[in-house]
Amino acid sequence: MHGRPRKASEPGEDADSAAKAVKLRSLQSQFMSNHHGKIYTKVAIELSTELLKINPEAYTAWNYRKLAVEDNLSRIESDPDLVKSILDEELSVVESALMQNFKSYGAWHHRKWVLSKGHSSIGNELKLLDKFQKKDSRNFHAWNYRRFVVELTNRSKQDELQYTEDMICKNFSNYSAWHNRSVLVSSLLANRADGFMPNEKIPEELDFVHNAIFTEPGDQSGWFYHLWLLDQTVDVETPLLASSWPSHGCSIILSGPGCLNDSSSKFTTFCSESGSFPLIIYFDQAVGGVSSSTVTIDSELKGNEDLVWEPVSGKNSQVSCGWVTRMKYFSSEPIVRKEYKVKVRVGNSPGIISSRGGCNFSAPCEFFFTAHVHDAAVKDSEESIVSWTDEFDIWDAQSEDLNSFVSLGRLNAEMDLNWRQEALAKEVELFRQLSDSKIGKLTLARLLMASEAMASDDTVKGAHYEEILQLYNDLMALDSSHYQYYKDMHSVAFLHKVTSSTESLSRYLFRYRNMNNLVCLRLNNLSLSRIASVEKLLFVQMLDLSHNELHSTEGLEAMQLLTCLNLSHNRIRSFSALDSLRHVKQLRVLDVSHNHIGKHSVDTTRYLCSSPLSNSEWTQDEVGRQKPSLVTKYWDAYFVLRDMSLKQLDVAGNVIAGDEFNSFVLQVMPKLVWLDGQKLRT
Amino acid sequence: MADKLVADKHVRYILMAEKKKESFESVVMDHLRMNGAYWGLTTLDLLEKLGSVPQDEIVSWVMSCQHESGGFAGNTGHDPHVLYTLSAVQILALFDKLNILDVGKVSSYIAKLQNEDGSFSGDMWGEVDTRFSYIAICCLSILKCLDKINVGKAVGYIVSCKNLDGGFGCTPGAESHAGQIFCCVGALAITGNLHRVDKDLLGWWLCERQVECGGLNGRPEKLPDVCYSWWVLSSLIMIDRVHWIDKAKLVKFILDCQDLDNGGISDRPDDAVDIFHTYFGVAGLSLLEYPGVKPVDPAYALPVDVINRILLTK
């Protein structure tokens, strides 16, 4: 029972309760007999009134009253006074039921239903609400009803905004009022109502919410409103192209499967049995509408007339930051060693739309790259094992060379930056004064991250990361209940720092000698709990994330070039946590040894993985038909692994590993060559 | 202060609650007996004690609450509503008795309640709420006939109830509330649409529901309550952000809400126990991997083995 103290019942109390119960039960059974007999006499209706006064939750009684009203109205339709008196009676029954239980869904709905019958005295509703909302200013039924009445009466949004202001000024610890304010302000901003231009209104609202946060930093009511305003300050509605692979101005080498003798360390070499390579574009926000008409490609490479663009996270999501298409580079004709220029024009015709506000991609922009198509490979490296311990060369390219791999920074930045930067700078200054409290530190860290994202001057880029990392370290100590939240944010900030300049990134870059000098990024042993900044890592072919604290591969789906991935010694709990890797079509080598797979009864990625549980997968194959019980037992391994084309897999050191599981893996992945370091076929 | 789950006492409390029909409380709750049965029986199953109830008797009572329309009432004699239809289906799923249902009839009842904008009414009287969207989607998925409704529109309506704090309310513009968030996130999970959730924003809002004593509240600046151990925790699990709260502190809060003498769990320590909070406490402990409690599915609110049996076999 909500909020009722636990105590042993006193003598006499039981008898009391039993007497009340007998009375209520008798009311209920009389009511039921009226309801089933469709008896709508005055006496019968009054009986239901009495029942609802005692128990406003008796939903069938509300239904009965609606039937009774309809029955009575059908007899006296011509007399407006009688209609009014019938409906007024209903409103007064609701009112007394609400006095008994303010949270009765049935009572509130009955009131709405009565109003829908065309009752004219709607002006009273706001007065009644004022009374109720004074008594319980957080009651969400009352706030919902208020929005309903406001809409019905066409009361202006500005008047309602004033109401939220009055409520907040009375007591700023009223989250419901802040919430309603966010609904109203966002709608007024979206409609560009008079006095609601973002560059004026958002700084005003920031000032308004400061009062609440600075008066009582521990009170959460203003926190979420402030975070929303911060997002409005930083997020631009029109999408921008953030990066691509291949990037602007670079050269790549394309060949068939195998190794090239002369693969230069200056270029990325891409080999594929299918004769196609992924072309990836990445936006600063999720967009929809990327297609062969909105993105046009000009090249002599044949067979690329009707390219299909897909979100990197698979066909099901209609919007995505990352989009990929696969360009063919050899056809059936003999391959001639040749150089091709490829020009990509993004936003050629309108249609790329932001998922935020429905805004169109700003201005068309284009980039080009050069593809050197090579002929036959020299030797086949398919069968040899990939080792993560040797064969790495340190990165010897100059940072200018690296610039041609990565497109750091935005290709196209036309936005209304001034007021945003000013507002941010002001917030930073203000929140430095609050940096001894949790919300002060957290907000400051977020503000500084936002300042980094908005910095237009290269010389100040990267200046804030040390401070941000320190703030998150402080927070982990200060608010240990949310330790892991700050830890994740720390990892995000750290990866932003690593990718903030070619100089810092190159410290982690290597070449894997054995396979065409694959570009390898080694972020091992950094206690990372979260992946970030993938848009700056699209060129990476081999990724070492071993000895970290990762529990999911969310985000890696954008890294479409990834061939080898080392996740050993992390905190992966299930195969469903690897769902994003299903979309990395190039992946051949995966090490998930020494994780926590099979150790936990709760799977936190159960619903982030396509499966019959989420109604997003169910095509049965041979394995499914032959081994239904194993499929049920290892369902996530089954659905995730069967979509991958791995040659090499390591699962040792997980609770799930063992003979039964290994033999199941072999059935699901017949093309596997290496399992836990053992060659499967000769 | 308790340091462990007194499972046997809770089992006895649930079995006894069924027999105490004469108290005022149980008469007031008469109309939602179907929900009560679902809470009690699921708790028993999570504690591996479902065998101690008269299954045939319960199943025939459940079926006696079904109306000609296909919907179920909260008890015999009451009107049908989706709230009780889902509980009835869940009870039959627990007993592996879905085969006795006329699936076409139940699913038609639910499908007819979908409105033009994709939302769902709770019954013929037209109250609209995202709780009913969840119920419709959950129920039809268990019955394997989601194709009877317009899933795209249903999802669109739920997304239109998303707020600027990342949470969800019962209708567009309504304030975020942890119970409502569970419904919306659950419905999106079951339809493979969790990519429509802003996981970091919602995750931060949800993890900040944990208050100093370890318990969770349902909205900012409200008191903690054991039922949010379910609503908040299951939502955090579905979006893979449950590591953002302190699980050990929450376990302690739930254990402290037990009635160690008579069994049952209450909303807060030393309050009166009820079957609703007993279920949410035990289910919360299940989500926290408490030993001796079977794993529960965060989206369907049924034991994992029950859901896997239904959905992972053809």
Side-chain angles (χ1 to χ4, degrees):
Chain A
M1 302 290 153
H2 278 118
R4 245 197 30 204
R6 183 187 304 163
K7 56 179 168 64
S9 51
E10 312 263 327
E13 214 173 46
D14 276 351
D16 210 37
S17 159
K20 269 166 72 190
V22 168
K23 188 189 169 204
L24 182 58
R25 197 171 282 288
S26 128
L27 263 178
Q28 265 178 9
S29 71
Q30 287 178 64
F31 158 72
M32 279 299 174
S33 117
N34 289 340
H35 181 38
H36 296 150
K38 301 192 167 61
I39 300 167
Y40 306 121
T41 59
K42 202 162 180 258
V43 178
I45 293 172
E46 269 167 17
L47 188 115
S48 75
T49 309
E50 206 179 330
L51 174 61
L52 285 167
K53 268 184 190 157
I54 303 175
N55 186 12
E57 295 285 359
Y59 70 98
T60 305
W62 292 115
N63 295 349
Y64 164 80
R65 292 194 75 92
K66 293 187 188 76
L67 290 167
V69 167
E70 284 182 347
D71 183 72
N72 283 330
L73 288 181
S74 72
R75 292 168 212 274
I76 47 102
E77 226 163 320
S78 51
D79 188 340
D81 285 347
L82 271 177
V83 172
K84 188 171 182 312
S85 84
I86 289 172
L87 296 178
D88 277 345
E89 168 63 13
E90 293 309 303
L91 293 181
S92 98
V93 172
V94 169
E95 211 175 314
S96 52
L98 288 176
M99 291 300 179
Q100 164 76 12
N101 180 1
F102 200 11
K103 295 176 177 176
S104 166
Y105 283 97
W108 284 107
H109 179 64
H110 195 66
R111 197 166 189 93
K112 278 192 184 179
W113 182 85
V114 173
L115 289 189
S116 78
K117 291 277 146 187
H119 196 274
S120 56
S121 61
I122 211 161
N124 292 331
E125 297 306 294
L126 280 183
K127 272 182 225 148
L128 179 77
L129 271 170
D130 283 346
K131 197 170 89 188
F132 276 134
Q133 289 189 292
K134 255 186 208 125
K135 251 173 71 185
D136 178 1
S137 63
R138 295 289 309 277
N139 184 290
F140 70 83
H141 297 275
W143 279 99
N144 289 349
Y145 189 67
R146 183 176 187 95
R147 279 181 287 268
F148 167 79
V149 172
V150 163
E151 200 163 313
L152 220 56
T153 53
N154 285 322
R155 191 172 139 94
S156 80
K157 288 201 163 80
Q158 280 84 346
D159 286 350
E160 276 302 279
L161 195 64
Q162 187 58 48
Y163 180 75
T164 67
E165 197 160 323
D166 295 346
M167 291 292 265
I168 291 166
C169 290
K170 248 178 244 159
N171 176 9
F172 63 78
S173 181
N174 185 342
Y175 189 77
S176 307
W178 286 109
H179 160 75
N180 213 31
R181 192 168 182 87
S182 77
V183 174
L184 294 163
V185 171
S186 73
S187 153
L188 288 162
L189 283 172
N191 297 328
R192 298 284 189 267
D194 198 19
F196 286 86
M197 294 308 284
N199 57 344
E200 291 159 11
K201 194 64 196 169
I202 289 170
E204 259 176 60
E205 289 299 298
L206 280 167
D207 282 341
F208 183 59
V209 75
H210 289 153
N211 288 332
I213 295 180
F214 281 76
T215 309
E216 184 44 85
D219 189 291
Q220 299 188 349
S221 306
W223 293 7
F224 301 91
Y225 193 67
H226 186 268
L227 178 60
W228 174 65
L229 289 174
L230 171 60
D231 286 343
Q232 299 313 295
T233 311
V234 178
D235 294 345
V236 181
E237 281 167 352
T238 45
L240 298 166
L241 189 63
S243 64
S244 68
W245 190 86
S247 61
H248 180 61
C250 83
S251 292
I252 56 170
I253 298 169
L254 304 168
S255 88
C259 262
L260 298 172
N261 271 342
D262 57 348
S263 66
S264 152
S265 67
K266 275 205 154 187
F267 305 126
T268 300
T269 303
F270 184 85
C271 305
S272 145
E273 52 264 54
S274 66
S276 64
F277 70 95
L279 170 59
I280 313 155
I281 52 178
Y282 205 99
F283 297 86
D284 68 335
Q285 54 187 284
V287 298
V290 175
S291 70
S292 60
S293 61
T294 49
V295 180
T296 52
I297 290 167
D298 186 5
S299 114
E300 292 158 19
L301 283 167
K302 287 197 173 42
N304 292 306
E305 287 74 31
D306 289 305
L307 288 175
V308 178
W309 286 91
E310 279 179 17
V312 289
S313 49
K315 286 177 202 148
N316 289 342
S317 39
Q318 273 111 34
V319 297
S320 173
C321 292
W323 288 78
V324 63
T325 187
R326 283 164 218 286
M327 281 189 79
K328 293 197 188 77
Y329 60 87
F330 32 77
S331 46
S332 49
E333 298 156 41
I335 299 140
V336 202
R337 196 177 164 130
K338 214 185 147 182
E339 224 181 88
Y340 299 90
K341 280 245 184 278
V342 181
K343 198 161 90 184
V344 184
R345 201 168 154 78
V346 182
N348 202 34
S349 63
I352 299 179
I353 288 174
S354 158
S355 60
R356 265 180 211 153
C359 281
N360 249 294
F361 185 69
S362 56
C365 68
E366 60 179 34
F367 64 92
F368 66 86
F369 58 91
T370 313
H372 303 265
V373 177
H374 282 207
D375 45 11
V378 173
K379 70 169 198 272
D380 192 76
S381 66
E382 292 280 293
E383 303 283 304
S384 63
I385 192 164
V386 169
S387 150
W388 292 92
T389 46
D390 43 24
E391 307 293 339
F392 289 98
D393 288 332
I394 51 158
W395 190 260
D396 55 356
Q398 301 299 304
S399 75
E400 299 88 73
D401 294 328
L402 186 58
N403 273 329
S404 70
F405 286 95
V406 224
S407 49
L408 294 168
R410 289 166 168 173
L411 292 179
N412 178 355
E414 52 166 59
M415 48 203 260
D416 185 12
L417 269 179
N418 271 345
W419 76 266
R420 299 173 189 275
Q421 285 171 334
E422 274 168 30
L424 261 185
K426 194 178 157 204
E427 290 299 294
V428 168
E429 199 182 323
L430 210 60
F431 274 87
R432 279 196 199 283
Q433 296 163 26
L434 202 65
S435 62
D436 52 348
S437 74
K438 160 182 156 173
I439 194 62
K441 281 186 196 297
L442 180 57
T443 306
L444 184 57
R446 286 172 173 162
L447 287 165
L448 293 173
M449 282 293 275
S451 310
E452 284 290 349
M454 289 211 115
S456 50
D457 182 356
D458 274 350
T459 55
V460 298
K461 268 198 172 146
H464 297 304
Y465 287 117
E466 284 311 321
E467 187 181 357
I468 296 167
L469 294 173
Q470 188 54 49
L471 284 165
Y472 282 121
N473 279 328
D474 294 351
L475 282 162
M476 284 182 236
L478 187 70
D479 176 23
S480 60
S481 287
H482 300 109
Y483 178 91
Q484 205 59 44
Y485 174 73
Y486 306 122
K487 178 94 179 79
D488 284 3
M489 296 304 120
H490 187 279
S491 294
V492 170
F494 178 80
L495 287 171
H496 276 255
K497 181 184 165 211
V498 166
T499 56
S500 64
S501 73
T502 51
E503 220 180 337
S504 63
L505 184 57
S506 61
R507 254 178 271 156
Y508 301 91
L509 283 171
F510 296 83
R511 292 283 194 174
Y512 188 63
R513 206 180 306 135
N514 262 9
M515 287 168 79
N516 294 325
N517 281 314
L518 283 188
V519 180
C520 179
L521 179 66
R522 307 200 74 173
L523 295 169
N524 51 325
N525 255 315
L526 293 167
S527 90
L528 294 174
S529 61
R530 170 107 178 218
I531 296 157
S533 288
V534 283
E535 74 279 9
K536 293 180 175 172
L537 303 172
L538 301 179
F539 63 99
V540 172
Q541 295 169 297
M542 195 167 179
L543 178 61
D544 185 357
L545 288 167
S546 63
H547 296 274
N548 281 301
E549 294 164 24
L550 297 167
H551 75 275
S552 157
T553 56
E554 194 181 350
L556 288 186
E557 65 276 6
M559 297 176 70
Q560 291 283 321
L561 259 63
L562 215 54
T563 309
C564 309
L565 174 63
N566 188 353
L567 286 164
S568 66
H569 298 276
N570 274 281
R571 294 182 187 168
I572 307 283
R573 296 159 65 116
S574 61
F575 281 92
S576 59
L578 308 175
D579 187 68
S580 59
L581 301 180
R582 281 161 125 166
H583 308 293
V584 183
K585 295 293 172 208
Q586 230 49 52
L587 194 67
R588 297 294 174 269
V589 176
L590 175 64
D591 187 346
V592 285
S593 62
H594 303 282
N595 275 277
H596 300 174
I597 304 175
K599 192 176 156 191
H600 291 279
S601 61
V602 171
D603 178 4
T604 59
T605 39
R606 187 171 163 91
Y607 286 97
L608 294 170
C609 166
S610 296
S611 83
L613 297 165
S614 54
N615 288 285
S616 41
E617 185 107 20
W618 202 212
T619 47
Q620 214 166 31
D621 57 12
E622 204 50 38
V623 184
R625 270 189 291 275
Q626 283 174 10
K627 309 267 177 192
S629 63
L630 285 182
V631 166
T632 307
K633 184 172 177 186
Y634 301 128
W635 67 273
D636 57 332
Y638 173 68
F639 288 110
V640 170
L641 292 178
R642 71 174 188 171
D643 281 354
M644 296 189 188
S645 314
L646 296 183
K647 299 278 181 200
Q648 183 179 329
L649 174 69
D650 288 88
V651 289
N654 286 288
V655 174
I656 201 174
D659 291 345
E660 185 191 61
F661 181 71
N662 287 6
S663 75
F664 180 69
V665 166
L666 298 187
Q667 286 171 27
V668 179
M669 310 186 88
K671 287 182 181 158
L672 202 64
V673 182
W674 298 91
L675 179 60
D676 289 327
Q678 301 292 312
K679 193 158 192 181
L680 298 168
R681 46 194 165 80
T682 45
Chain B
M1 296 290 116
D3 55 1
K4 65 176 197 322
L5 181 70
V6 292
D8 290 347
K9 292 212 164 130
H10 299 322
V11 169
R12 213 172 56 219
Y13 166 76
I14 293 165
L15 296 174
M16 290 295 291
E18 187 43 37
K19 297 194 176 79
K20 279 166 102 180
K21 283 183 192 158
E22 296 319 313
S23 74
F24 181 71
E25 280 72 33
S26 78
V27 183
V28 165
M29 308 278 270
D30 195 64
H31 65 279
L32 49 79
R33 192 161 175 244
M34 190 67 78
N35 293 151
Y38 156 72
W39 294 324
L41 294 167
T42 307
T43 310
L44 290 178
D45 197 15
L46 292 177
L47 298 173
E48 316 243 23
K49 287 288 184 323
L50 193 59
S52 51
V53 296
Q55 180 181 321
D56 293 345
E57 204 181 297
I58 296 171
V59 168
S60 72
W61 169 75
V62 168
M63 294 311 289
S64 77
C65 295
Q66 191 175 23
H67 281 243
E68 201 35 51
S69 61
F72 285 78
N75 205 340
T76 44
H78 287 265
D79 288 354
H81 194 283
V82 291
L83 279 167
Y84 314 109
T85 305
L86 175 62
S87 286
V89 168
Q90 285 170 318
I91 292 168
L92 296 174
L94 280 175
F95 288 130
D96 200 7
K97 284 280 183 200
L98 287 172
N99 57 328
I100 66 165
L101 267 186
D102 182 343
V103 170
K105 214 167 144 181
V106 181
S107 56
S108 295
Y109 171 75
I110 294 169
K112 280 184 194 146
L113 292 170
Q114 187 169 31
N115 301 309
E116 195 43 44
D117 62 358
S119 67
F120 282 84
S121 301
D123 63 11
M124 62 179 284
W125 296 109
E127 183 184 4
V128 169
D129 191 310
T130 45
R131 287 180 301 150
F132 309 146
S133 300
Y134 165 76
I135 287 170
I137 284 168
C138 182
C139 213
L140 293 179
S141 180
I142 291 173
L143 300 174
K144 301 196 182 182
C145 46
L146 263 181
D147 56 343
K148 281 221 173 177
I149 57 165
N150 186 332
V151 174
K153 272 190 164 182
V155 167
Y157 181 78
I158 292 168
V159 172
S160 78
C161 296
K162 181 156 76 175
N163 287 317
L164 301 165
D165 55 22
F168 295 83
C170 39
T171 48
E175 183 183 347
S176 301
H177 177 287
Q180 223 73 41
I181 290 170
F182 160 78
C183 290
C184 294
V185 172
L188 295 176
I190 292 170
T191 56
N193 276 289
L194 283 178
H195 56 274
R196 312 281 297 262
V197 177
D198 188 337
K199 299 201 263 307
D200 284 337
L201 184 60
L202 176 59
W204 182 57
W205 190 92
L206 285 169
C207 81
E208 283 295 344
R209 295 310 99 239
Q210 186 160 41
V211 300
E212 199 48 45
C213 68
L216 303 168
N217 61 19
R219 290 189 283 158
E221 301 302 320
K222 288 277 193 177
L223 291 174
D225 182 323
V226 158
C227 70
Y228 296 113
S229 311
W230 171 263
W231 308 120
V232 173
L233 211 47
S234 58
S235 304
L236 279 169
I237 288 174
M238 285 188 273
I239 62 169
D240 194 20
R241 298 294 183 272
V242 73
H243 56 295
W244 286 355
I245 62 158
D246 187 333
K247 293 188 205 174
K249 272 173 98 172
L250 179 56
V251 169
K252 189 179 172 304
F253 175 78
I254 299 173
L255 294 179
D256 283 347
C257 291
Q258 300 179 102
D259 182 333
L260 296 177
D261 302 323
N262 306 307
I265 299 175
S266 52
D267 58 349
R268 282 182 283 282
D270 302 318
D271 275 358
V273 301
D274 61 55
I275 196 111
F276 173 84
H277 287 95
T278 306
Y279 163 67
F280 287 114
V282 171
L285 290 173
S286 165
L287 294 176
L288 293 160
E289 304 189 43
Y290 193 87
V293 185
K294 270 175 37 174
V296 65
D297 185 284
Y300 292 92
L302 281 169
V304 164
D305 60 349
V306 170
I307 277 306
N308 284 3
R309 183 184 69 218
I310 295 169
L311 292 171
L312 294 175
T313 51
K314 242 194 169 165

